[in-house]
Amino acid sequence: MTSADTWAVVPVAGSGARLRPHTHTRPKPLLQVAGKPIIGHILDQLAPLGIERIVLIVGYMGDRIVDYVRAHHHFRQVEFVEQTELLGLGHAIWLARDVVDDAPMLNVYGDTIFQADLSQVLQVEGDGALGVKRVDDPRRFGVVVEAEGHVQRLVEKPSDFVSDLAIVGVNYIRHSKMLFECLGRLIRDGERTRGEFQLTDAFQRMVDAGAQLSTFPVAHWFDCGTQQALLATNQALLDGQISAQAREGVVLRPPVHIDPTADVRDAIIGPHVSVGAGARVHRAVVSNSIIGDEAVVEGIVLEDSLVGYQAIVTGRPHHLNVGDLSQITS
């Protein structure tokens, strides 16, 4: 099998409740961070691997995700499967079974941005490999117990310490049918953890059935689930980018990303600021913030803020979390 035979399966059906009001008007994968949507960062990691086939598990505002992927990414084959009930990550992956069948599969969670060298992962021996990273609080994650290079045990969000090796959202399965069969039995048996069908539990069933799963390190892994997490991810990704070019009348404090179509004048921008396409920022001081496409920010000092699509913010200094099409003046 080659990378061209591998399917990437990306679940993006969630409603993004913790990022409201922004997700009232757009799905979380299309929220901007460091100059592009979350889903754009994820899919850009797949193209260099030679992966040509992708399945997106869509739900909330799924048509908008479909439109974005078709317009901005050029995989040879793109399939969309709808998850009408949000029954968990395991259920989402299981919905891809008729498309993927027994081909190799790379699962990439749709709400996190990762940075890892996956070039060797698609050549791994055994039945698959799970991307992992050591974390300070493993109670928030599915974790792996590993011995002699093989996964022995997996536990979803353990209340007591089991391991600090967290599964972080990138997994490779060589023969997908085995995973789909384990997920199917999990669903038929009604085996839920914390109310959902967990992919972690299906991996455990694979191990119990004799599957040889290994792990590989994920160097950087960025959560995009809350306002604070999104701003932290924006910071980290901007730190690795070339900053915007200087503009007359604008003081830039790198790192910053300013879309070429944005109108920025008489402003101090940065550090860690992303300004979207068509945005207007005049007579403002902005730091550690994301300014959405076509937003207007004038006569204000902003820090630690999210300003949504076509939102208008003018007036006194604020820490803001302003959704799309809003208007704040003073």
Side-chain angles (χ1 to χ4, degrees):
M1 291 285 186
T2 68
S3 55
D5 300 311
T6 300
W7 283 92
V9 178
V10 186
V12 287
S15 63
R18 293 182 299 162
L19 274 165
R20 293 172 181 162
H22 303 276
T23 50
H24 282 311
T25 52
R26 66 184 56 215
K28 181 169 68 172
L30 294 186
L31 296 182
Q32 295 273 336
V33 57
K36 70 178 73 169
I38 295 168
I39 187 69
H41 287 282
I42 294 170
L43 297 184
D44 283 350
Q45 286 277 82
L46 302 181
L49 300 174
I51 290 177
E52 299 179 355
R53 305 193 293 179
I54 183 170
V55 185
L56 288 149
I57 311 301
V58 298
Y60 179 71
M61 296 190 189
D63 56 331
R64 299 188 61 176
I65 298 173
V66 170
D67 290 344
Y68 172 82
V69 173
R70 285 178 172 161
H72 294 87
H73 295 271
H74 304 288
F75 296 94
R76 176 168 57 88
Q77 187 174 356
V78 180
E79 301 288 343
F80 301 93
V81 178
E82 185 177 9
Q83 185 181 26
T84 56
E85 294 182 272
L86 299 182
L87 300 178
L89 182 61
H91 176 260
I93 299 298
W94 179 72
L95 292 175
R97 65 196 183 282
D98 291 338
V99 177
V100 176
D101 194 36
D102 199 33
M105 172 172 55
L106 186 70
N107 302 141
V108 183
Y109 302 176
D111 58 356
T112 56
I113 297 171
F114 69 94
Q115 292 178 344
D117 181 5
L118 300 181
S119 58
Q120 300 302 313
V121 173
L122 302 187
Q123 310 301 324
V124 70
E125 296 182 358
D127 297 302
L130 313 181
V132 296
K133 185 175 178 62
R134 296 199 181 277
V135 296
D136 294 330
D137 185 5
R139 293 172 299 178
R140 298 173 50 217
F141 308 98
V143 298
V144 169
V145 177
E146 191 176 27
E148 299 180 353
H150 296 295
V151 174
Q152 305 294 318
R153 185 183 175 204
L154 303 101
V155 182
E156 180 67 25
K157 295 182 175 65
S159 54
D160 298 319
F161 183 84
V162 174
S163 166
D164 62 356
L165 207 56
I167 305 171
V168 295
V170 190
N171 308 302
Y172 175 71
I173 301 298
R174 181 180 296 279
H175 297 290
S176 297
K177 188 168 288 187
M178 184 177 190
L179 174 59
F180 290 135
E181 289 174 350
C182 289
L183 284 167
R185 288 196 295 271
L186 198 75
I187 293 167
R188 286 194 298 274
D189 294 345
E191 183 182 324
R192 304 188 189 209
T193 301
R194 299 179 181 268
E196 296 183 333
F197 297 111
Q198 302 289 350
L199 189 59
T200 306
D201 294 335
F203 288 148
Q204 182 64 61
R205 288 196 175 208
M206 288 182 66
V207 170
D208 292 342
Q212 296 287 306
L213 299 180
S214 57
T215 65
F216 63 93
V218 175
H220 301 290
W221 170 54
F222 306 110
D223 180 25
C224 298
T226 65
Q227 176 190 1
Q228 293 75 21
L230 199 64
L231 288 174
T233 296
N234 188 60
Q235 287 184 15
L237 295 178
L238 287 177
D239 281 337
Q241 293 185 5
I242 298 174
S243 283
Q245 294 183 340
R247 299 185 179 204
E248 185 176 354
V250 178
V251 176
L252 297 182
R253 301 169 61 198
V256 300
H257 169 85
I258 300 177
D259 189 275
T261 64
D263 179 9
V264 182
R265 306 180 195 174
D266 303 321
I268 301 173
I269 306 295
H272 299 116
V273 173
S274 295
V275 180
R280 186 167 81 239
V281 182
H282 293 178
R283 295 177 289 104
V285 179
V286 185
S287 62
N288 193 39
S289 297
I290 300 174
I291 310 300
D293 293 351
E294 301 181 31
V296 175
V297 174
E298 292 186 346
I300 194 168
V301 178
L302 280 186
E303 61 179 340
D304 307 330
S305 298
L306 300 179
V307 179
Y309 168 75
Q310 288 189 348
I312 299 173
V313 178
T314 64
R316 297 193 305 255
H318 286 284
H319 299 276
L320 296 174
N321 184 10
V322 184
D324 297 353
L325 305 167
S326 302
Q327 180 167 343
I328 293 179
T329 60
S330 62

